[in-house]
């Protein structure tokens, strides 16, 4: 089995490393040339893939796989949110042209909005942030294609090495009412 992971950033790299340990052939992508040697160091076949509208770089061999794992963020804080859907639209011909049957998209619980309530995958998404709206559109874009199966994984509150949860709250203010509701 071959798994291609588009986006070997914080999550994608750790996921790729865990699959290599299970003797699965892994292809990993990055937009950073200096990171290619890091991927290779962990036994991940490295590829430079950039789907940016003005700088597309694609190695077709990356898309020769059984499962395509999409682990790239919309980067709305960096002002690149508008490009995210364009990048995913550019993926579709590579997916269908290589007969990839399974696509996994890493999304976010942000598609549910900030309602301070418990949600499940049965709840209707109602995003209230730019990032949440873009991710929901991305989910719908991939799900609309019946040539392959799309699995959506909505992460929330990722923490671990290099991701201190306190950093996500730095500079934010919480009201007394919100503090009482969370206890």
């Amino acid at each position: 089995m071959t798994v291609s992971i588009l986006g070997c950033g914080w999550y994608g790299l750790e996921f790729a490393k865990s699959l290599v340990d299970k003797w699965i052939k892994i292809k990993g992508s990055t937009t950073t040339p200096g990171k290619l040697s890091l991927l290779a160091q962990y036994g991940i076949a490295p590829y430079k893939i950039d789907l940016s509208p003005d700088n597309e770089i694609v190695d077709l061999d990356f898309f020769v796989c059984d499962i395509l794992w999409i682990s790239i963020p919309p980067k709305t804080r960096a002002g690149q949110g508008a490009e995210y859907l364009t990048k995913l639209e550019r993926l579709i011909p590579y997916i269908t042209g290589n007969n990839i049957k399974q696509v996994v998209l890493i999304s976010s619980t942000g598609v549910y909005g900030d309602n301070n309530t418990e949600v499940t995958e049965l709840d209707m998404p109602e995003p209230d942030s730019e990032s949440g709206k873009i991710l929901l559109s991305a989910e719908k874009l991939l799900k609309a294609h019946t040539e392959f199966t799309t699995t959506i994984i909505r992460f929330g509150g990722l923490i671990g090495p290099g991701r201190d949860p306190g950093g996500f709250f730095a500079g934010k203010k919480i009201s007394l009412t919100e503090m009482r509701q969370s206890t």
Side-chain angles (χ1 to χ4, degrees), residues 25-80:
K25 182 177 180 184
I26 303 300
K27 298 177 182 182
S29 82
T30 180
T31 58
T32 308
K35 199 170 182 183
L36 294 169
S37 60
L38 177 68
L39 296 177
Q41 172 186 331
Y42 289 113
I44 301 161
Y47 292 84
K48 184 168 193 265
I49 306 287
D50 191 338
L51 299 167
S52 298
D54 58 345
N55 191 34
E56 186 170 305
I57 300 169
V58 174
D59 184 331
L60 295 177
D61 184 59
F62 177 79
F63 296 99
V64 177
C65 62
D66 299 295
I67 301 171
L68 175 63
W69 203 274
I70 304 171
S71 180
I72 55 174
K75 296 185 180 180
T76 53
R77 290 183 192 157
Q80 299 174 13

Side-chain angles (χ1 to χ4, degrees), residues 6-7 29 40 59 63 108 112 114 126 152 165:
L6 183 67
S29 82
D59 184 331
F63 296 99
S108 166
Y112 295 113
D114 189 10
E126 294 179 21
I152 308 295

Side-chain angles (χ1 to χ4, degrees), residues 94-169:
Y94 298 117
I95 295 169
T96 57
N98 286 285
N99 206 26
I100 298 172
K101 294 297 181 197
Q102 180 66 50
V103 174
V104 179
L105 174 68
I106 299 301
S107 187
S108 166
T109 55
V111 300
Y112 295 113
D114 189 10
N115 299 322
N116 198 25
T117 60
E118 184 177 308
V119 294
T120 72
E121 62 272 4
L122 300 176
D123 292 316
M124 187 64 84
E126 294 179 21
D128 56 7
S129 68
E130 179 186 4
S131 179
K133 290 173 186 175
I134 290 169
L135 285 169
L136 184 58
S137 294
E139 292 178 10
K140 289 178 181 179
L141 170 72
L142 292 173
K143 287 266 202 199
H145 288 274
T146 57
E147 307 92 342
F148 52 88
T149 301
T150 300
T151 301
I152 308 295
I153 300 177
R154 294 176 176 152
F155 286 157
L158 290 177
I159 58 171
R163 290 181 65 100
D164 179 9
F168 297 107
F169 300 107

